[in-house]
Amino acid sequence: MMQSEIAIFAGGCFWGIEYYMDQIPGVINVESGYIGGTKEKPNYEEVCTEDTGHAEAVRVEFDPTKVSYEQLARAFFEIHDPTQLNRQGPDVGDQYRSEIFYLSSRQKEIAKKLIDQLKEKGYEITTQLTPASHFWKAEDYHQDYYERKGTLPSCHRYVKRFE
């Protein structure tokens, strides 16, 4: 039986990150939610006040025999702008920060390696690396937002940064 793995990424509005992660072969499920803050069971309105410390993030379940954590982390750096501090396009606030919440030392090492590669290319990376804490699933109306709406993300776009 296949053993899935989890990755957690925050890179601006979770709708766009969720949309692009969901397109990657080997990704089983993507959930939008909140992580990195102090409030138990935060809701969207509370997170938007910037008082909870949470980031909008996605929890990606994937099949490591079909896609590696490194491939997902590379995609993360190419579907959001990791040089913007506490924002992503028009969305401003610490809940829109760029952050990877790692679940193992291996994930941390891979993420750090990719950040170092981008810095060598001249990017001023703001992405933080943080041990994962509790991930709170966002309200149902935030799940599969662009799929349900039938449109494409407006705050995220794919930009090759590694080649």
Side-chain angles (χ1 to χ4, degrees):
M1 181 162 173
M2 184 271 304
Q3 185 72 21
S4 66
E5 290 185 24
I6 301 295
I8 302 174
F9 303 109
C13 174
F14 43 37
W15 296 339
I17 300 290
E18 178 192 60
Y19 175 84
Y20 284 110
M21 285 288 168
D22 214 23
Q23 309 303 309
I24 299 171
V27 168
I28 298 164
N29 187 43
V30 184
E31 287 181 335
S32 290
Y34 316 109
I35 190 170
T38 55
K39 183 168 188 332
E40 298 274 315
K41 300 178 186 170
N43 64 41
Y44 182 69
E45 289 74 25
E46 292 168 333
V47 171
C48 286
T49 67
E50 298 184 54
D51 291 335
T52 70
H54 287 89
E56 287 192 19
V58 294
R59 181 182 181 274
V60 181
E61 181 183 6
F62 64 99
D63 178 346
T65 67
K66 295 182 179 168
V67 64
S68 69
Y69 178 81
E70 182 167 346
Q71 288 170 303
L72 292 177
R74 280 178 178 261
F76 167 70
F77 284 115
E78 294 185 332
I79 59 180
H80 88 292
D81 184 347
T83 68
Q84 293 191 22
L85 182 62
N86 293 336
R87 70 175 303 145
Q88 203 61 209
D91 295 327
V92 179
D94 72 352
Q95 73 271 32
Y96 300 117
R97 66 189 179 264
S98 177
E99 191 162 6
I100 293 177
F101 294 89
Y102 58 87
L103 290 110
S104 67
S105 58
R106 182 176 89 27
Q107 286 186 356
K108 180 183 180 182
E109 289 167 18
I110 290 167
K112 175 143 182 23
K113 178 184 84 169
L114 294 175
I115 288 170
D116 290 345
Q117 286 176 8
L118 290 172
K119 285 180 176 178
E120 286 172 16
K121 291 177 172 281
Y123 292 100
E124 294 183 25
I125 302 300
T126 64
T127 307
Q128 301 169 54
L129 297 179
T130 307
S133 54
H134 189 85
F135 180 87
W136 303 97
K137 185 177 176 184
E139 297 81 355
D140 287 345
Y141 68 92
H142 288 299
Q143 307 304 321
D144 301 312
Y145 180 81
Y146 284 111
E147 184 179 312
R148 287 185 295 102
K149 195 174 175 190
T151 60
L152 294 174
S154 56
C155 297
H156 294 87
R157 64 187 178 89
Y158 184 84
V159 175
K160 276 206 167 297
R161 292 193 168 88
F162 287 97
E163 294 178 25

